[in-house]
Amino acid sequence: QVQLVEVGGGLVQAGGSLRLSCAASGLTLRSYFMGWFRQAPGNEREFVSAISWNGRNTYYGDSVKGRFTISRDLAKNMVYLQMNSLKPEDSAVYYCAADRSPTLRLGESYYDYWGQGTQVTVSS
């Protein structure tokens, strides 16, 4: 019943931008911290960003601070990740995830629901 669907990935040159979208159904964003994770082949899943239900609290991994921006639209039940100044090391499958918690938790094991992911490939 709960479903998260990511879109917006693709091929982009270094320095370019992409905007990822996560459409949530079967849950209300008011009950969850929403997060973005990424995973490159052979690597562990990495925390990218998270946002509280009201959008007042946002968090970013050190590797993306100043370049990525997370946002949400409660009316549309959507979460977004604006990615600017992309680097080849940003290449990964990006996942939207939902954690039923009033506070931020960084570990992927805390998140209850996951999307299927969208591929982002940044060429040099």
Side-chain angles (χ1 to χ4, degrees):
Q1 186 173 30
V2 174
Q3 187 174 25
L4 305 177
V5 180
E6 307 96 332
V7 296
L11 297 170
V12 64
Q13 291 184 299
S17 298
L18 286 173
R19 190 193 193 202
L20 306 183
S21 299
C22 173
S25 61
L27 60 80
T28 172
L29 297 186
R30 285 181 167 268
S31 299
Y32 293 87
F33 253 88
M34 300 299 297
W36 288 95
F37 291 76
R38 66 187 183 186
Q39 187 170 23
N43 293 341
E44 64 183 1
R45 196 165 293 184
E46 175 189 14
F47 172 79
V48 175
S49 185
I51 188 169
S52 59
W53 71 268
N54 57 19
R56 295 176 182 173
N57 300 301
T58 58
Y59 306 89
Y60 299 93
D62 289 340
S63 63
V64 305
K65 287 181 179 178
R67 299 188 298 121
F68 291 10
T69 302
I70 191 170
S71 60
R72 88 282 177 267
D73 187 333
L74 294 180
K76 296 181 179 179
N77 234 38
M78 298 283 290
V79 182
Y80 307 97
L81 185 69
Q82 178 67 46
M83 306 185 296
N84 298 326
S85 302
L86 284 163
K87 306 174 181 179
E89 50 263 45
D90 294 318
S91 297
V93 176
Y94 283 72
Y95 297 91
C96 179
D99 177 16
R100 190 174 179 84
S101 172
T103 57
L104 173 71
R105 298 189 289 184
L106 299 178
E108 65 174 279
S109 63
Y110 295 113
Y111 286 75
D112 301 299
Y113 303 104
W114 294 83
Q116 292 298 305
T118 185
Q119 178 70 52
V120 173
T121 303
V122 184
S123 64
S124 59

